[in-house]
Amino acid sequence: MNAAATLAAPPTGAHIRAVRGELSGDLLEVSMGPHHPSTHGVFRMIVTLDGETIVRLKPVFGYLHRNHEKLAENTSYLGSMPYTDRLDYLNAMTNNWAYARAVEQLAGIAVPERAEYVRVILAELTRLLNHTCLAGFLMQDCGCSGTPLMYAFREREKILDLFESLSGSRMMCNYQRFGGCRVDPTADWLAGAKKLVGGYGAFLDEFEALLTGNEILLARTQGVGRLGAALAINAGVTGPMLRAAGVNHDLRKVDGYGVYPRFQFRVPLGAHGDVYDRYMIRILEMRESLAILRQSLAGLPAGPVMNPQAKLRGFRPKPGEAYGRIEGPKGEIGFHLVSDGGPNPWRYHVRAPSFINLTLLEDLCLGHTVADAVIILGSIDIVLGEVDR
Amino acid sequence: METLAQLRDRLLARFPAAEVTVVTNPSPSAQHALRVDAHHAREIAGFLRDDPALQLDQCTNVTGIDWPEKEVVDAVRTTVPDPAGGTPRVVEEKIKRLEPGRLEVVYHLYSIALRHGPVVLRLVTGNRTDAVTLPSLTPVWRSCEFQEREVFDLFGVAFEGHPDLRRILMWDGFQDHPMRRDYREPDDYEWEPTPHGDVLAKAKRHYPAPAPSAP
């Protein structure tokens, strides 16, 4: 279409009435994102507004889609291990673990005890990292620009330093292997982890003193985006969002995978299922993670971190399939693998928790304002690398 | 929880016209599955969700699997008697048959109330071209809403009864289904000043050879 043709037909009244006319009866459609800072990446919501109230909300996905699953089907099993880091790029360690666990179930590979302990230590450090960041992001979404996020990122860097000294990379760790872990943590590393765990409680106290009782936070988050238990279960919601709705479901307890049954920890549950509960659940979960870390660091057994029988090169599991899942920081992260006996998986599917937790975004936002939709989205805790895959 | 064979018998007693078979999973995970015919799938799914002994209240994971048409070789052994009265011979004959292509949708069901699972449900389409309709289980489990849209988008399974069946990861104008095994990416060659290697081969495919000029 050339410019002259566009100018020849000026917009008629129908186009502008929605903005300029009587707003009471007209609905306004607003596109939020994909380049909106509150959408945590390239996520888009088409929001229909009646005044300032949301009456319809349609999420639009796919801006970061690169067909991760197709790429994984064209490479070996081990070849997609570094690629799982890029799914939820905050939590590479748990993505690695979920994938390794699915392959271990598919091929029946045993994992040495020390490796299970190391996995638990790394998964709980990842949970600390994710929840700290999320609390910072959520405050940013509420409008407390800067301070809480910088406090959170300061602590996150300490955990990332540990990951870097262990795996060689801050975020793209590529650390787990089928049947164990890539390198054995040294005594220095363990001392560093113990030091971090010892100091983290003080940081949480400081963070909570700043935020938890804050009047503005209470006013913004309490009663916003309420989610009932029955709907949450039916919609496949998992992780802290499900527990904030009051459902006692934590895969570390339900499946008891790895060595989790050996540790004493509690599962915090919410009562209202609103944004405040989702914030609070994460703070409480961090304290439980610290308890698990103290126990696992104290009880770490000696031994190998890799099953010597596990085969890395020329790995061809027998035909069959497996669905392996773990409790990631965002919810249930699972991998569904189908093997036809070849070196590449015939089918490789990622059950991405933040993608499925978004199912209820519209239900949570209806009747709220746009500013509330921003914090509801923030409290769901999405990472677009995982949503769009 | 009861075994899958017991569950199948219970489902067949409840839905006599349904076809339910147990699919064995030979891998060490031993996650066996129930294959359910498309006609009764939604009724059976509702039963699995509401039955007090099962209470499979969460459908965690929905996956599509593409099985293209495949040539399978069956070895058939026949015993041929020796007309001279000696010992009969065993003749092994290799018979080739064509396994028809199909698309499969897999649902992983868990019970949060009773803490058991997974029960794996499998639905299979008639073929990969025109009989690709399956009933949507979104009315039973809301968690299928986006995941079935994803299977529709990437595999091309049409879910009947889905409230909002649109593409989800690819854009609306996209034509093909990229997770199918025979998907070929479109010719999206971009101009290169000095193409070489794979890029040169792609450029040659993209720009057809010029017609030979008249002498």
Side-chain angles (χ1 to χ4, degrees):
Chain A
M1 195 194 293
N2 61 34
T6 323
L7 288 174
T12 53
H15 284 87
I16 48 176
R17 197 182 59 226
V19 184
R20 237 178 21 199
E22 296 148 289
L23 281 171
S24 56
D26 286 336
L27 299 178
L28 182 67
E29 197 170 81
V30 180
S31 175
M32 283 180 74
H35 298 298
H36 194 281
S38 73
T39 54
H40 295 238
V42 278
F43 179 64
R44 181 175 170 213
M45 297 179 275
I46 298 176
V47 188
T48 309
L49 298 172
D50 180 3
E52 213 188 338
T53 311
I54 296 171
V55 292
R56 188 165 175 272
L57 186 149
K58 289 292 165 204
V60 182
F61 306 90
Y63 293 96
L64 205 58
H65 179 56
R66 66 270 185 199
N67 218 338
H68 176 90
E69 298 175 3
K70 189 86 175 176
L71 291 168
E73 284 169 19
N74 286 307
T75 184
S76 64
Y77 283 86
L78 185 62
S80 27
M81 178 62 85
Y83 211 47
T84 59
D85 297 337
R86 278 88 179 157
L87 282 170
D88 175 357
Y89 40 77
L90 292 177
N91 305 327
M93 289 291 188
T94 44
N95 297 344
N96 285 177
W97 190 4
Y99 179 49
R101 190 167 137 77
V103 176
E104 281 153 12
Q105 288 189 354
L106 179 69
I109 305 171
V111 182
E113 197 184 13
R114 185 175 169 91
E116 292 281 22
Y117 270 77
V118 173
R119 284 177 174 188
V120 167
I121 292 169
L122 292 171
E124 294 310 317
L125 283 174
T126 306
R127 204 178 310 279
L128 283 180
L129 181 159
N130 180 72
H131 288 358
T132 310
C133 285
L134 176 97
F137 290 142
L138 188 60
M139 294 310 127
Q140 188 91 345
D141 290 340
C142 285
C144 356
S145 183
T147 311
L149 188 63
M150 290 302 121
Y151 275 48
F153 268 47
R154 182 190 67 198
E155 297 307 309
R156 169 187 184 238
E157 281 303 323
K158 293 179 187 168
I159 300 176
L160 290 181
D161 284 348
L162 281 179
F163 285 179
E164 186 176 12
S165 68
L166 183 63
S167 72
S169 177
R170 288 163 73 239
M171 293 166 77
M172 303 295 126
C173 300
N174 180 19
Y175 180 69
Q176 315 282 358
R177 289 289 177 269
F178 317 135
C181 308
R182 188 153 56 84
V183 281
D184 197 355
T186 59
D188 279 357
W189 190 89
L190 292 169
K194 273 179 192 153
K195 186 164 167 262
L196 180 126
V197 171
Y200 216 86
F203 158 70
L204 280 182
D205 293 341
E206 179 194 45
F207 203 59
E208 279 210 85
L210 182 67
L211 297 170
T212 300
N214 186 300
E215 204 174 321
I216 300 173
L217 177 70
L218 298 179
R220 280 301 303 279
T221 56
Q222 285 192 334
V224 173
R226 282 197 175 195
L227 173 60
L231 182 60
I233 293 173
N234 192 258
V237 170
T238 46
M241 202 175 154
L242 179 65
R243 293 190 284 276
V247 182
N248 184 3
H249 183 75
D250 187 325
L251 296 182
R252 292 174 291 173
K253 294 275 189 195
V254 174
D255 285 6
Y257 60 92
V259 284
Y260 275 116
R262 299 186 193 176
F263 305 127
Q264 295 284 323
F265 64 100
R266 294 170 297 173
V267 178
L269 296 179
H272 308 95
D274 55 5
V275 174
Y276 184 76
D277 275 13
R278 275 173 232 147
Y279 159 77
M280 205 58 223
I281 287 285
R282 281 163 175 128
I283 298 286
L284 294 172
E285 272 189 12
M286 281 197 268
R287 298 204 185 269
E288 297 306 316
S289 287
L290 288 176
I292 299 174
L293 277 168
R294 274 191 290 273
Q295 295 168 53
S296 51
L297 283 166
L300 181 68
V305 288
M306 189 70 202
N307 182 347
Q309 269 98 46
K311 215 173 155 187
L312 290 182
R313 308 279 166 211
F315 176 67
R316 287 162 180 262
K318 291 194 179 71
E321 64 175 78
Y323 175 69
R325 57 178 194 168
I326 68 165
E327 181 74 36
K330 290 179 164 55
E332 172 183 335
I333 171 148
F335 284 79
H336 181 234
L337 301 168
V338 180
S339 167
D340 65 340
N344 300 357
W346 178 262
R347 177 80 180 103
Y348 165 104
H349 174 72
V350 188
R351 192 257 185 227
S354 45
F355 174 62
I356 294 162
N357 287 357
L358 278 175
T359 308
L360 287 180
L361 181 65
E362 182 177 19
D363 301 56
L364 297 181
C365 289
L366 289 184
H368 289 299
T369 58
V370 173
D372 287 340
V374 169
I375 59 169
I376 291 169
L377 182 69
S379 73
I380 293 176
D381 188 9
I382 60 168
V383 159
L384 269 296
E386 182 182 74
V387 173
D388 288 344
R389 276 159 297 155
Chain B
M1 208 187 81
E2 63 203 317
T3 63
L4 274 190
Q6 288 167 331
L7 177 57
R8 179 201 56 202
D9 295 343
R10 211 145 67 83
L11 285 173
L12 287 176
R14 175 74 189 267
F15 306 101
E19 281 175 43
V20 185
T21 43
V22 176
V23 184
T24 321
N25 179 355
S27 91
S29 73
Q31 291 167 346
H32 308 300
L34 283 178
R35 183 180 295 142
V36 177
D37 72 301
H39 200 64
H40 294 85
R42 200 176 299 156
E43 281 175 308
I44 289 177
F47 174 79
L48 294 176
R49 184 192 64 184
D50 298 331
D51 182 65
L54 291 167
Q55 293 188 39
L56 296 163
D57 45 16
Q58 194 175 41
C59 174
T60 300
N61 183 42
V62 182
T63 327
I65 306 176
D66 184 14
W67 301 102
E69 197 174 71
K70 191 167 93 176
E71 202 172 66
V72 190
V73 181
D74 294 328
V76 181
R77 288 187 169 197
T78 39
T79 316
V80 183
D82 189 357
T87 48
R89 284 182 306 134
V90 178
V91 179
E92 194 177 270
E93 200 180 358
K94 292 211 163 117
I95 299 176
K96 284 183 184 173
R97 82 188 147 82
L98 215 55
E99 204 177 67
R102 63 207 185 277
L103 298 166
E104 197 169 30
V105 184
V106 185
Y107 296 81
H108 286 86
L109 315 175
Y110 284 89
S111 169
I112 286 185
L114 303 178
R115 296 196 167 184
H116 59 71
V119 171
V120 188
L121 271 193
R122 309 181 88 94
L123 307 184
V124 185
T125 63
N127 57 30
R128 299 170 72 242
T129 47
D130 50 354
V132 290
T133 308
L134 287 177
S136 166
L137 299 189
T138 307
V140 183
W141 293 287
R142 181 80 190 278
S143 53
C144 301
E145 186 180 337
F146 286 178
Q147 303 194 69
E148 284 182 343
R149 269 178 73 184
E150 187 187 315
V151 174
F152 163 71
D153 186 358
L154 302 182
F155 288 90
V157 178
F159 289 97
E160 197 185 0
H162 191 284
D164 184 20
L165 194 65
R166 290 178 292 137
R167 285 191 178 272
I168 188 164
L169 294 174
M170 306 305 285
W171 56 99
D172 286 337
F174 192 80
Q175 290 297 327
D176 212 338
H177 302 292
M179 278 307 288
R180 290 205 183 184
R181 303 296 296 200
D182 51 2
Y183 171 77
R184 292 291 168 265
E185 57 197 84
D187 178 23
D188 56 352
Y189 177 74
E190 288 183 14
W191 182 78
E192 277 280 330
T194 53
H196 59 275
D198 292 348
V199 183
L200 182 64
K202 208 173 167 184
K204 280 183 179 159
R205 280 198 304 275
H206 182 75
Y207 300 112
S213 54

